[in-house]
Amino acid sequence: MAPTRSTTPDPQTTPSADPPRSLKPGTSWRDAWERSLAAAPEAFGDDHVRNLWDGQWQPDGHPLPAASPVDGTPIAGPPRLDADAALRAVRASLDQHRAWRHILLAERKARISATLDALTEHRELLALLLVWEIGKPWKLAQADVDRAIDGVRWYVSEIDRMLTGRTPLPGPVSNIASWNYPMSVLIHAMLIQALAGNAVIAKTPTDGGVSCLTLACALAAREGVPATLVSGSGRELSPALVRSPEIGCVSFVGGRDTGARVATAVADLGKRHILEQEGLNTWGIWNYTDWAALTPLIRKTFDYAKQRCTAYPRFVVQRAAFADFLTAYLPAVRSVRFGHPLAVAAPDDPLPELDFGPLINATKAKELADLTTEAISRGAVPLHRGSLAEGRFLPSQDTSAYFPPTTLLAPPSASPLHHAEPFGPVDTIVLVDTEAELLAAMNASNGALVASLSCDDQETYERLAPQIRAFKVGHGKPRSRGDREELFGGFGNSWSGAFVGGELLVKAVTEGPETERLPGNFPDYHLMP
């Protein structure tokens, strides 16, 4: 458990205590922990979680101190394994895989369905753990749990046709994912991989989500799903989780730097892979006049402080329309609500409906503060700089992980905010005069996952959209990862390996005809969305 961080108020950023708020009764970290301990005592100790491998919850690992980004409350950290222990876990998973791949599909469907029923029973607890561990507002945390459950249920109903003529991989699927969507990305993928006949391994993200993932995996393991959950540094665990010959496929969600190292490793080994990496997703404005429709869409882009792979941190705006754009944009950013996700004015009040809570940690908040200050010093124009005084907080709470909405015009080319995704509530705006400039600015990061283009004329959209280097392009609306039949992938440096979604997610983790070529972002092959 981590020591409590300082709560000494900063006179320049201390949030207003009017009206005074308190923690919603029954939502404290201690409440969440005791409920988790009662729900899965095999996986939770008095003050720590355990690793799951070889079908058992193991006492090994060295717990890393951790604190909630919400208010600095000490919480359980990941029990980190060393490289040798990780290798033993992978070898044990291969034994599970060899047994599981021969389990009849009807039985696999029954066990996955039973797991989904258990996840549904503990839905609110899983969501509460997400609030404390990664700072998600209550409504968004519930949505993350629900998307995982509903998405896997759809695969259970469709899996028979998807597996026709297909067999499990020779070895288990290894999952390394970022902290921001533990349920709807990581648990969702693991259960579908298991449904397809594979044992599954996951590394808990270092920055958060370990308790939520532990509870979800405990519920799955009780139903006989062959899941392995281990913690540790990427440097220590990567040789086992990426390079081990026992691994049948590597599924990665994270940043470009780490993703590039994983991509090099799997390419050298000829191993199946699904590598989702970040890109600078952009929203273009060209010959557009429906400004009233744009304002609510812009506010929606601030959900979860833009801490997601499909966030839109860059707006590329036609210079002639800039004044009208600001008239639509500024009311949206000024209406964003943020603060402590569990703070209420009265005990009977419902939990607040916030756009976002804290960033993942205080280090990230300081990084964004430094980046914006640096960009402004080099010439960027601050169009909006929110204040922590606008947030909803408990009196005198630690707010070091919070960062208010910020918008900069024309970040200089020397600034990281010009070409990289900030992964926080910071928007940058670039002005252009020609269609060529529009496309160049929207393609600044050599490939992205999503993009949007707001223009009045459908013909103009259809002409420009194919030139935008993003896997999905929306016409005047945001795009997302998608669910069920919807495909997902990326262009350029935002993605490597097989595309996913619908049948492709199952094909990526199973074997088919010898002549099969998996659709994806490979060196010599692309599937257009």
Side-chain angles (χ1 to χ4, degrees), residues 80-127:
R80 294 158 71 94
L81 296 176
D82 59 24
D84 289 340
L87 187 57
R88 292 196 299 272
V90 168
R91 289 170 177 166
S93 180
L94 178 60
D95 292 337
Q96 290 180 303
H97 180 83
R98 288 169 172 164
W100 178 255
R101 71 195 311 270
H102 296 296
I103 298 293
L104 294 178
L105 178 57
E107 178 63 19
R108 298 202 303 265
K109 290 168 62 176
R111 295 189 191 184
I112 298 297
S113 295
T115 300
L116 297 175
D117 291 342
L119 294 174
T120 302
E121 179 184 351
H122 294 283
R123 168 182 180 264
E124 291 196 355
L125 174 55
L126 291 163

Side-chain angles (χ1 to χ4, degrees), residues 117-174:
D117 291 342
L119 294 174
T120 302
E121 179 184 351
H122 294 283
R123 168 182 180 264
E124 291 196 355
L125 174 55
L126 291 163
L128 184 58
L129 291 170
L130 289 180
V131 173
W132 280 110
E133 293 193 289
I134 61 174
K136 282 204 170 183
W138 179 241
K139 186 175 180 180
L140 295 180
Q142 289 180 304
D144 191 25
V145 178
D146 291 343
R147 283 187 64 187
I149 295 170
D150 295 343
V152 179
R153 285 199 191 280
W154 180 82
Y155 275 92
V156 170
S157 67
E158 301 290 332
I159 193 66
D160 291 81
R161 65 175 177 84
M162 294 182 181
L163 286 179
T164 300
R166 309 195 67 81
T167 58
L169 296 176
V173 181
S174 178

Side-chain angles (χ1 to χ4, degrees), residues 295 298 325-335 383-384 407 429:
T295 298
I298 290 173
F325 172 79
L326 283 186
T327 301
Y329 177 90
L330 290 176
V333 70
R334 290 168 180 161
S335 68
L383 296 179
H384 177 79
T407 307
I429 299 174

Side-chain angles (χ1 to χ4, degrees), residues 280 282-284 316 437-445 451-453 468:
L280 183 61
T282 59
W283 194 312
V316 181
E437 291 176 346
L438 172 82
L439 293 170
M442 293 189 72
N443 293 330
S445 69
S452 291
L453 179 61
I468 299 172

Side-chain angles (χ1 to χ4, degrees), residues 235-277:
R235 186 181 301 275
E236 282 279 333
L237 271 56
S238 181
L241 299 183
V242 175
R243 291 185 169 275
S244 290
E246 292 89 349
I247 298 297
C249 177
V250 176
S251 177
F252 171 87
V253 179
R256 287 193 178 189
D257 291 342
T258 303
R261 291 192 292 271
V262 174
T264 299
V266 295
D268 291 345
L269 298 169
K271 198 181 295 291
R272 285 197 182 215
H273 56 282
I274 307 159
L275 308 181
E276 177 186 332
Q277 301 155 92

Side-chain angles (χ1 to χ4, degrees), residues 253-499:
V253 179
R256 287 193 178 189
D257 291 342
T258 303
R261 291 192 292 271
V262 174
T264 299
V266 295
D268 291 345
L269 298 169
K271 198 181 295 291
R272 285 197 182 215
H273 56 282
I274 307 159
L275 308 181
E276 177 186 332
Q277 301 155 92
E278 92 269 10
L280 183 61
N281 305 318
T282 59
W283 194 312
I285 308 291
W286 188 259
N287 292 343
Y288 181 72
T289 59
D290 190 9
W291 303 110
L294 187 63
T295 298
L297 297 177
I298 290 173
R299 176 175 175 177
K300 188 69 176 172
T301 67
F302 280 90
D303 277 0
Y304 195 35
K306 297 182 183 270
Q307 295 179 113
R308 60 186 190 278
C309 65
T310 54
Y312 286 84
R314 168 68 52 82
F315 289 86
V316 181
V317 182
Q318 186 177 16
R319 192 183 306 272
F322 183 49
D324 291 330
F325 172 79
L326 283 186
T327 301
Y329 177 90
L330 290 176
V333 70
R334 290 168 180 161
S335 68
V336 169
R337 290 161 57 95
F338 66 96
H340 193 305
L342 304 173
V344 293
D348 293 335
D349 285 354
L351 290 171
E353 292 195 13
L354 304 175
D355 296 292
F356 63 86
L359 302 188
I360 188 57
N361 51 47
T363 300
K364 180 63 181 180
K366 184 180 185 304
E367 174 191 315
L368 283 186
D370 292 344
L371 284 173
T372 55
T373 298
E374 182 265 351
I376 292 170
S377 73
R378 291 174 177 266
V381 179
L383 296 179
H384 177 79
R385 300 192 77 176
S387 167
L388 289 187
E390 301 163 358
R392 298 168 52 99
F393 298 107
L394 301 176
S396 300
Q397 77 160 76
D398 179 356
T399 59
S400 60
Y402 291 82
F403 192 82
T406 300
T407 307
L408 302 180
L409 173 66
S413 58
S415 168
L417 289 177
H418 178 80
H419 53 77
E421 179 185 24
F423 222 66
V426 177
D427 277 348
T428 57
I429 299 174
V430 174
L431 302 183
V432 295
D433 295 297
T434 67
E435 289 185 355
E437 291 176 346
L438 172 82
L439 293 170
M442 293 189 72
N443 293 330
S445 69
N446 185 24
L449 303 175
V450 297
S452 291
L453 179 61
S454 290
C455 56
D456 292 340
D457 181 54
Q458 180 69 28
E459 183 178 341
T460 300
Y461 169 79
E462 292 177 354
R463 176 169 52 82
L464 295 177
Q467 302 177 68
I468 299 172
R469 294 286 294 165
F471 187 79
K472 296 181 181 181
V473 181
H475 187 186
K477 61 182 180 180
R479 298 302 305 269
S480 68
R481 226 175 176 273
D483 293 299
R484 304 178 182 182
E485 284 285 14
E486 190 172 356
L487 303 184
F488 192 54
F491 284 154
N493 290 339
S494 69
W495 192 281
S496 297
F499 292 149

